[in-house]
Amino acid sequence: MTDTQPALATTKRKFHKLVDSIAASTSTTSLASTLQDSNASSTSLAHPSSPEPPNKRPRSSNASMEQNRSVSSSQARIQALKDQLLTPRREGTVRVVGKATTTSTSTTPRKPPNFQPYSKEQFLSRVKTFADVKKWTTKPDAINEIEWAKRGWSCDTWNTVACKGGCEKRVAVKLRPKRKDASGKAIEMSEDLTADVDDKLVEKFRELIERGHAEDCLWRKRGCQEDVYHIPIASRATCSADLLARYQSFASISSDLPLLENITYPDPSVQEILKRVPSSLFGPGSAPSEPADIVAFTFALFGWSGVSESRISLATCDHCFQRLGLWLSSDTRLKEMSKKLDVPIETLRLNLLESHREHCPWKNAVTQANSTDGPIANMPAWQTLQFILLPKHRDSPQKTRHAQGHNRNVESVDIGSELEYPRGSMDSYHEDKDKEETEAIEGKWKRFKAKLKRTTSKKSLKSMRSVRSGKSRPGTAGTEKEGERG
């Protein structure tokens, strides 16, 4: 009996260690706790004659504490792994296994790339940086803000451009000396506009528009496309939506708008335009009728939008970023200035076209860059808008035939129409040979069909059919020819 007891105790201790390892890996304590009790009783039977000192804990108690400690740590680790692996991953969230913190990318959106030569939005954002007169002064056309913006440059500080987000190069564009005060000291951040500009210096800066970038900068290799400044007015859907948005932007500041007689603009008058615009433009009962609404529509026709900043009413352009203080054109102030300066009040009125910057496509036909093969070629944006908006009178048939050899009518397009024209182009027209007047075409394929009808006669079609029938029936070809001769 005494010989078998040590072997039995040794076997149970091995079994106990095996159970401990299983419990640590599976984090189950019910089986381990059950075996602990039986192990404690078996240990007492194995050593009946050698009791342990009272101040020393039994081995089973130490094993139990170590087991509980290992089980609790393994349970915590397993639970953490389950939380991290089984929790659904949300979009824009990054979880790191083994760490309690998470990093969310939804609050920090990714910055768009700097080099986007086809992006008009980014181009306009760069042009906007040059709008502050405190940072940028007027430059010759060859090196104006549009040329710099097309090559990825933004205005950073006083007359200094930078490739922000790209190669980070900077160029200080200094053409004139600084102004001097009464004591002869140069004034910082100033420019003597009366001084002449050296043409060689202008040419040097024109080269720096491209070469000022770093060697590996993409803006050095390529700039924006030439028509990036174009306003797509020939698209009627975009045209009508933008016009209404500009018109409605003045609703909140209508009380600060100048009187109609205190603004000037090219003909035709706004009253004539309102008579000829399609009824579908404004919708039922929303056409301008009040004096302030008519003025707001006039502003919108020439590309202006209304905003209010710090309780100051402004008219702004979203392309050249010019800003006009409407209070400067109030009737009271114009009368005061006319009396103070001793000039006619007509010379102080607000010109809606000339108030745009020189490079603005609303004013400049070159930057508007309409298609050169259509009726809107060489038109600035304001003229293009009126051509699309207003229907033209038809020319007389006799005059049209004499000038072009056939009857052709070129009309502007009704904004309410569903027909779409390509950007900057209105070269799709329907031509009918048998009518005195033609209608607007609905696609290029109809023009081709009309041309085919004019050039192909019934006789030629009959001849083609006879040739085909002769090829298919060689024996009857001679008979058919003799019948035609007869």
Side-chain angles (χ1 to χ4, degrees):
M1 183 69 180
T2 57
D3 296 337
T4 59
Q5 283 183 353
L8 179 61
T10 303
T11 303
K12 286 189 174 183
R13 281 198 300 271
K14 291 181 178 180
F15 180 72
H16 179 67
K17 291 182 179 180
L18 180 61
V19 171
D20 286 347
S21 62
I22 295 174
S25 60
T26 59
S27 70
T28 55
T29 59
S30 59
L31 178 61
S33 60
T34 304
L35 292 176
Q36 281 178 359
D37 299 335
S38 61
N39 192 26
S41 59
S42 63
T43 305
S44 60
L45 291 174
H47 303 279
S49 59
S50 58
E52 294 181 354
N55 59 349
K56 185 178 180 181
R57 292 183 179 179
R59 295 182 61 184
S60 61
S61 177
N62 293 338
S64 177
M65 292 180 62
E66 293 177 359
Q67 175 183 347
N68 291 337
R69 194 179 299 114
S70 63
V71 168
S72 61
S73 61
S74 63
Q75 282 181 337
R77 185 171 181 275
I78 292 173
Q79 187 62 36
L81 289 172
K82 286 182 178 180
D83 293 340
Q84 294 172 2
L85 297 177
L86 300 181
T87 303
R89 183 176 179 180
R90 294 178 297 175
E91 184 177 359
T93 303
V94 178
R95 288 184 176 270
V96 181
V97 176
K99 295 184 180 180
T101 58
T102 59
T103 303
S104 177
T105 59
S106 59
T107 57
T108 56
R110 183 178 179 182
K111 188 177 180 180
N114 167 266
F115 181 71
Q116 295 191 51
Y118 294 99
S119 174
K120 182 178 180 179
E121 181 181 357
Q122 285 201 5
F123 167 76
L124 291 178
S125 67
R126 293 192 295 270
V127 174
K128 189 175 182 179
T129 63
F130 294 88
D132 190 354
V133 294
K134 297 178 181 179
K135 295 172 60 177
W136 185 260
T137 57
T138 304
K139 302 292 186 294
D141 292 342
I143 57 172
N144 64 8
E145 52 264 47
I146 303 304
E147 299 301 323
W148 290 100
K150 283 183 177 180
R151 277 284 179 174
W153 299 99
S154 302
C155 186
D156 187 22
T157 56
W158 168 255
N159 281 339
T160 302
V161 297
C163 180
K164 294 184 177 181
C167 63
E168 301 297 340
K169 291 289 186 179
R170 295 161 59 90
V171 177
V173 188
K174 297 181 180 179
L175 298 175
R176 303 179 180 90
K178 297 178 181 179
R179 288 189 292 108
K180 298 181 179 180
D181 56 14
S183 61
K185 186 178 180 181
I187 303 174
E188 293 297 329
M189 296 179 63
S190 66
E191 192 176 41
D192 186 5
L193 298 179
T194 61
D196 295 333
V197 178
D198 188 0
D199 294 338
K200 294 182 179 179
L201 191 60
V202 173
E203 180 62 22
K204 176 183 176 181
F205 283 114
R206 191 189 66 80
E207 295 177 357
L208 286 176
I209 293 178
E210 175 183 341
R211 299 181 182 178
H213 290 283
E215 291 288 343
D216 58 346
C217 184
L218 295 177
W219 286 113
R220 184 175 181 131
K221 301 176 182 179
R222 180 180 179 180
C224 292
Q225 53 188 358
E226 290 300 322
D227 61 346
V228 68
Y229 213 2
H230 174 84
I231 303 176
I233 297 177
S235 172
R236 287 176 312 285
T238 304
C239 167
S240 57
D242 292 346
L243 177 62
L244 288 178
R246 293 193 301 271
Y247 166 63
Q248 294 169 358
S249 66
F250 288 96
S252 60
I253 58 173
S254 59
S255 59
D256 297 327
L257 287 171
L259 300 177
L260 186 61
E261 56 266 24
N262 289 333
I263 60 176
T264 61
Y265 52 90
D267 291 332
S269 65
V270 65
Q271 292 85 353
E272 180 65 21
I273 293 175
L274 287 173
K275 291 179 182 178
R276 297 167 57 185
V277 294
S279 58
S280 58
L281 177 62
F282 300 100
S286 60
S289 57
E290 299 296 327
D293 295 337
I294 296 176
V295 174
F297 182 70
T298 309
F299 271 85
L301 280 173
F302 289 90
W304 298 100
S305 301
V307 297
S308 179
E309 296 181 2
S310 302
R311 298 183 180 181
I312 299 178
S313 299
L314 303 170
T316 62
C317 174
D318 294 335
H319 284 78
C320 67
F321 302 100
Q322 182 70 286
R323 296 154 61 90
L324 305 177
L326 297 179
W327 62 275
L328 295 173
S329 301
S330 63
D331 188 61
T332 302
R333 187 179 185 280
L334 289 180
K335 290 179 179 179
E336 291 177 356
M337 295 300 296
S338 175
K339 184 177 180 181
K340 183 178 180 179
L341 300 175
D342 193 21
V343 295
I345 194 173
E346 291 81 5
T347 60
L348 303 177
R349 290 173 179 170
L350 177 61
N351 191 313
L352 297 183
L353 180 61
E354 294 300 326
S355 295
H356 285 283
R357 300 182 191 272
E358 292 300 322
H359 57 73
C360 184
W362 284 104
K363 179 181 180 179
N364 194 318
V366 176
T367 56
Q368 172 59 12
N370 284 340
S371 176
T372 57
D373 58 351
I376 57 175
N378 302 320
M379 285 187 181
W382 73 269
Q383 230 173 356
T384 308
L385 176 61
Q386 292 190 15
F387 183 87
I388 301 297
L389 186 64
L390 304 178
K392 306 297 180 182
H393 296 291
R394 298 174 183 268
D395 296 331
S396 61
Q398 293 80 5
K399 181 179 179 180
T400 308
R401 287 196 189 97
H402 178 72
Q404 301 181 1
H406 63 277
N407 185 18
R408 178 175 180 177
N409 177 45
V410 179
E411 282 196 27
S412 65
V413 182
D414 186 352
I415 289 184
S417 170
E418 297 181 356
L419 178 62
E420 288 295 335
Y421 284 88
R423 182 192 65 74
S425 175
M426 292 188 62
D427 58 344
S428 299
Y429 299 98
H430 175 64
E431 300 179 2
D432 190 351
K433 181 179 178 181
D434 301 328
K435 295 182 180 179
E436 293 182 353
E437 295 179 346
T438 58
E439 300 176 354
I441 63 167
E442 299 176 357
K444 291 185 177 181
W445 66 274
K446 285 192 176 181
R447 184 175 62 180
F448 177 75
K449 183 179 179 181
K451 184 178 179 180
L452 184 61
K453 287 183 178 180
R454 291 195 304 269
T455 57
T456 307
S457 62
K458 294 182 180 180
K459 184 176 180 180
S460 62
L461 291 174
K462 184 177 180 181
S463 176
M464 291 174 64
R465 286 196 298 268
S466 65
V467 171
R468 290 176 181 175
S469 61
K471 289 182 179 181
S472 60
R473 294 178 296 175
T476 59
T479 308
E480 289 181 357
K481 291 180 179 181
E482 291 177 0
E484 289 180 4
R485 292 172 185 174

